[in-house]
Each structure stands twice: as C-alpha cells, then as structure tokens.
Amino acid sequence: MMLVRSHVRLTLRQKLPVFLAGCLIFSLSCRLHTRLTFEQYLLSVVSDHYYLIYFVIPMALLTYYSWMEDDSEIAIVRFPSYYSYFCRKWLAAGAAAAAVLGVQTGVALLAGAGLAGGNRWALSEGMAVSELFSVLELYFKNPVSAFAAYTMYQLAGTWFLAGLCMWLDRVAGSRGAVRILMGLYALAAVWIKIPGLHGIPVTGLNHLLILHHSLGLGRLAVTVATAGLLAMIILWTACDRRRFGPLSLPAFGRGLVPYYMRKLFSIRNLAVLCAVAALIAGYKGLAYHDERTAEDWVLLLFSGHGTGYLHILSFLEMLIVNGAPVYLLAAFMEETVRGQPLFVTIRASGRRNMLTALWKAGFLFLFLYCVIWFLGGLLGIKLLGYELTVHAWKCLAGSVGLKFCDVLFQYLVIFTIYLCTKQITAGFLAILGGNFLCILPSGFASYCPFGLSSTVRLGTVGLYPGITFRIAFDIQILLILLLGAWNLKYGWRRLLNQPL
C-alpha cells in the first residue's frame, strides 16, 4: 500500500495544480455572461467537447504516462505476485482519477455559485448548448442526472485509460505505447471534423471519456462491450505474465504453430493483405458510390466474376482478391518445407504434426484476411452513409464467411498438388484453370467451387438465377473436408519427399 500511496501522492503533487488551473480558467470563461441556470451550467462544463478533447484527455495521458513503466523489482517483490501488483496499481490509478475529477467538480460548483437555480431543459433563444441539450433531453430526466452520468462516465473512462496505458507499455514497449496512444488521440481530435467517422461506434479516446459521443443506435453498448473485452484481455495477460519478464503474445509462444506464424505473419505479408482490401474497397467505393442500400454495397464489394462470360477487369479482380493470400501461403509453404532446418523437422514429432501445424498457421492467416475484409466492408458502409440494418449485418457476415471458405479451399488445392508434385507452379496453374471455368455456361459454372464467393453468381443478387448462399457454403465445406481427409490419410507422407 505504501507504493500505491506514493504513486497517488506524486500524481496529485505534480499534475493537480496544472489541472486545477485549467479547470478554473475554463469554468470562469463559461461563467462570464452566461444565461444558464446553475444546473445547466454544471452540465455545460462537463460536456463541452473542446474542453474534454483538448484539455482533459491530454492531461489524463500525461498523468498516466508516469504510471506506465513498472517499478523496481525490489518494490514489486513486496506483493504476492505480479498480478497482485498490477491490479493494485490499477486500483490506485482509479483513486487518482477520482481525486482529479473531484477537483473538476469542485471548481465547477464554485464557479457556478450565484447563478439562479432551475433543474430544467428549457433554454433561452440562441444558446450554444441548445443542440446538445436537445439530444441529452431524450436520455435524461433533467440536467442534474445528466451531470452525474457525465461525471461517472468520465471517471470510469479515465480509470480504464490508466490500465490501458500500463498494458500497452508491456505489449508494445514505451515507444510503441506512446505512438498508439497518440494515434488514438489524433482520431479523437479529428472525430468531429470528419463526418465519415461519426458512424463508427468506437474510434478513439473520445468515446471513453465523452458520454454524448457514445449515445444513440446502441453505441454506448458497443463502447462498454469493447472496453470490457479489453479489460479482460488486460487482466488475463497480466495474470499470465512471467515476473519481470517481457510480455509475449499467447499466439506467438513456443511450439511449431507459433514458429510458422512468426514467419507467415510478417509485416510485409500483412501489408499486402491490407493493401489488397483497401485498394479494391476504395476503388469500388469511389466508382460506385450511388448504391442505394448497405446490402447493395456489400454485394458490390464481393461481386467477383459471374458465369457464362468473361470480363477481364472483373476476372483480374477476382484473381487478385482470392489469389493474394493463397500466393503468400504458397510461397511460405515452399520455403518452409524445402528450407526448413533439420532441428525443426526433428522436434516436429512426425510429419503429420508438421502438416497440421501448417494448416493451423494457414487457417489463422486466412481468417485474419477475412477479418480485414469484414472491417473494410463495415467501414465502407459507415463512410458512404448507408443504414446498417440487421439484414446488412447478415449479408456482410455471410459474404465474408463464403470468402473464407473459397480462399481456404483454393489453399488446400494448391497444398495438395504441391504435396503430390513438389511443384508450386502446378498448383497455381490448377487454381488459374479452375477460376477460368467461369466462362462455361451458367448451368455448370455456377457450381464450380473456384471463385464461388462471387456474389454475382448467387441468386440473391437478382441479375439472373443462381445458387443460394447455403448451397455455396455446402459445396465449399464438403470439398474442404474431402481434401482435408485425404491429406490427413495420405498427403502427410509426401510432406518430406517421401512416397505414398
């Protein structure tokens, strides 16, 4: 407890005078010539966007910057475990946040002394806070209840921000944590200036401290759920962290799968995946911005290529979108199988284990690729101003799921051909030929598994008859299971140039 009290005293001694001066200046500036009642004035102080963005959030970041790094080992060993040390330090940050917030409330109460009372929403003509109060009136009974909600929300957000700062220091280091926090603050600063960002539920630190930025359309629930999930991750990683050792992500620990993932999840590969999704989504968003609904946008984004004809640009788009992750996986697979060090092969405990490890790493890589596409589709819906309905969610999730099955099937095809021929080029030729089958008549090509995630092949588009989402899923999953079963029974024996 001595360590906790010393942190709180240091924070109050160094940051409290600056915070007190800032609150006093802002409160007095709002107090001059105001026509608000005392209760309305209190609410206007704690809900002012510019005060919270350009003073409160920077002060909170500066306050908790000194909390980020761990104390000395001599201080930490006084606690039963590192987890206990981390939790108590986070609790102490909550005490410091409550003290700072008490100063803000006290200054606002003193500055508002002398104003006429009136716990009502009615305002005089031409007041700057009229628009905000008209929104808050829909959620709160009176200004006092809104003031209490703002105060508690700011306290909870500031407390959570302390834990986030300490966790980022362990995950990304001091430099990385500062860069991430500055990026989040930049998003909070420009949030009000960019209309496209308004539709995204959680963008930056503003949603953690400013209540009215999270009101409406279930945004508050999304913010609370996001913060709760992050809090659980923070506590879980703090519990599993080795004492005084560097924090390592659980997915990249020891074992054959993490070894392959470190090679596969390189910055270059991730940049390629993000670039493909960004370029295709950006092109379609700029070229076809007149779609009427979110469902139309999703179907356009995953349109791909139809059957019974050949359109060069659409065909190249389909090859790039489906082939980019498969190409990266194929290059990784060839390099890994042919150039794998002998000690890795010996420690793999069998070729079957190597096969399943390659599958797991590839599965996670393709899953990440589809998550990027899901986020790209969701961001496009928000930036283009479409209404995000339940049907739009289902359409987006179904299209991304079908895309995952499509690229996974093509990966297993090239994987199987490589095991049989030891020629990665043969696998690519098979993939190219399979996608080229789309020029065949629709009656046959509609059931071709290559490129089946193209939404123009599905009957839901309405351009011409096609198969349903369910049939497309069934075809892909059946073929994935067949290829997987063959590889587990026969293919693993060819993994290290051994005969069947």
Side-chain angles (χ1 to χ4, degrees), residues 42 113 172 187 205 230 233 262 409 412 453 470-471 483 486:
L42 293 179
L187 286 174
L205 301 177
L230 284 174
I233 294 174
R262 279 191 291 269
F409 165 72
L412 289 178
S453 58
R470 179 172 296 180
I471 295 177
L483 287 173
W486 187 91

Side-chain angles (χ1 to χ4, degrees), residues 192-449:
I192 198 172
K193 303 294 183 182
I194 302 178
L197 292 178
H198 295 177
I200 304 176
V202 180
T203 54
L205 301 177
N206 57 311
H207 288 93
L208 297 176
L209 277 79
I210 306 177
L211 179 58
H212 61 265
H213 285 189
S214 296
L215 291 178
L217 300 177
R219 293 179 182 177
L220 183 59
V222 174
T223 302
V224 173
T226 303
L229 179 61
L230 284 174
M232 289 189 291
I233 294 174
I234 290 171
L235 293 174
W236 177 58
T237 51
C239 183
D240 289 348
R241 183 185 186 275
R242 296 175 297 169
R243 187 187 293 269
F244 317 134
L247 178 64
S248 58
L249 295 177
F252 291 88
R254 296 181 178 181
L256 198 57
V257 176
Y259 170 76
Y260 287 149
M261 290 178 66
R262 279 191 291 269
K263 296 170 69 68
L264 184 58
F265 284 72
S266 64
I267 296 178
R268 180 182 65 87
N269 288 353
L270 297 180
V272 170
L273 298 185
C274 293
V276 169
L279 290 175
I280 298 298
Y283 164 74
K284 290 192 173 183
L286 294 174
Y288 306 97
H289 58 278
D290 55 348
E291 297 298 323
R292 291 176 297 178
T293 63
E295 294 85 346
D296 294 336
W297 158 251
V298 172
L299 295 175
L300 172 68
L301 184 63
F302 297 96
S303 58
H305 191 281
T307 57
Y309 65 95
L310 179 62
H311 186 267
I312 297 299
L313 291 180
S314 299
F315 184 74
L316 290 177
E317 175 203 326
M318 181 180 66
L319 287 182
I320 292 172
V321 172
N322 296 339
V326 176
Y327 169 79
L328 295 176
L329 282 169
F332 155 77
M333 181 175 59
E334 186 177 32
E335 177 187 357
T336 301
V337 174
R338 286 191 175 182
Q340 180 166 270
L342 182 61
F343 76 90
V344 176
T345 305
I346 295 174
R347 296 194 63 181
S349 302
R351 287 171 287 174
R352 193 189 295 270
N353 289 338
M354 288 179 58
L355 179 73
T356 55
L358 287 170
W359 277 3
K360 290 177 182 179
F363 179 91
L364 293 174
F365 187 73
L366 295 177
F367 180 78
L368 176 62
Y369 180 63
C370 291
V371 169
I372 293 173
W373 272 103
F374 181 85
L375 296 176
L378 187 62
L379 183 62
I381 292 174
K382 293 300 183 180
L383 292 178
L384 294 174
Y386 299 127
E387 183 181 359
L388 190 58
T389 61
V390 175
H391 185 65
W393 278 107
K394 292 180 179 179
C395 186
L396 180 60
S399 299
V400 172
L402 191 57
K403 176 67 67 179
F404 175 74
C405 293
D406 193 359
V407 292
L408 179 60
F409 165 72
Q410 296 192 39
Y411 167 60
L412 289 178
V413 168
I414 201 171
F415 188 91
T416 304
I417 294 176
Y418 178 74
L419 291 182
C420 295
T421 64
K422 291 299 180 291
Q423 295 293 327
I424 204 70
T425 305
F428 274 110
L429 291 176
I431 295 293
L432 181 61
N435 282 280
F436 202 73
L437 294 176
C438 65
I439 66 172
L440 296 177
S442 300
F444 172 79
S446 296
Y447 297 91
C448 177

Side-chain angles (χ1 to χ4, degrees), residues 14-42:
Q14 292 180 350
K15 305 297 189 303
L16 194 60
V18 180
F19 193 80
L20 175 62
C23 290
L24 188 60
I25 293 173
F26 179 81
S27 298
L28 291 177
S29 65
C30 293
R31 175 68 170 79
L32 295 175
H33 309 296
T34 184
R35 291 179 290 167
L36 298 172
T37 65
F38 178 73
E39 292 82 1
Q40 293 170 349
Y41 167 76
L42 293 179

Side-chain angles (χ1 to χ4, degrees), residues 78-95:
R78 299 177 181 176
F79 294 84
S81 64
Y82 180 85
Y83 181 72
S84 175
Y85 160 77
F86 184 90
C87 291
R88 292 190 184 183
K89 190 174 180 180
W90 198 356
L91 288 173

